[in-house]
Amino acid sequence: MNEKVDWDAARRQPFADVETPDDWPKGVRPMSWQGINLLGADGVGGLYWDGKKVQTVTRLGFVERALATAVAVGTVSMAIFDAVRYIQGT
């Protein structure tokens, strides 16, 4: 397993020169056989493209965090009001 990789060729043409299906997102293209050499993994779940780590974590944006906080506050306040009503017997 001592094969040589032509890194310049892989970087020169990382993508295949073919048409993509209509249901693919715009700008997404399949990799060429040379481009596959640019894809790597570290063995513990990290994915790399040409030596740079590919971000695989999705984080909530400001609006999503604000909505989640509002839902949590609403849920807690409803629980408190229900507990108070239960204690008062109404």
Side-chain angles (χ1 to χ4, degrees), residues 27-88:
V28 175
R29 299 180 294 168
M31 289 187 284
S32 68
W33 284 110
Q34 294 88 2
I36 290 179
N37 287 321
L38 298 174
L39 193 60
D42 60 14
V44 291
L47 184 64
Y48 294 81
W49 172 258
D50 198 11
K52 297 174 189 82
K53 188 163 177 111
V54 176
Q55 181 177 351
T56 55
V57 176
T58 303
R59 297 178 188 215
L60 296 177
F62 174 76
V63 174
E64 290 88 359
R65 284 193 310 252
L67 286 173
T69 302
V71 168
V73 167
T75 303
V76 169
S77 66
M78 287 184 345
I80 291 171
F81 284 124
D82 283 345
V84 168
R85 282 187 7 209
Y86 177 77
I87 291 170
Q88 291 177 344

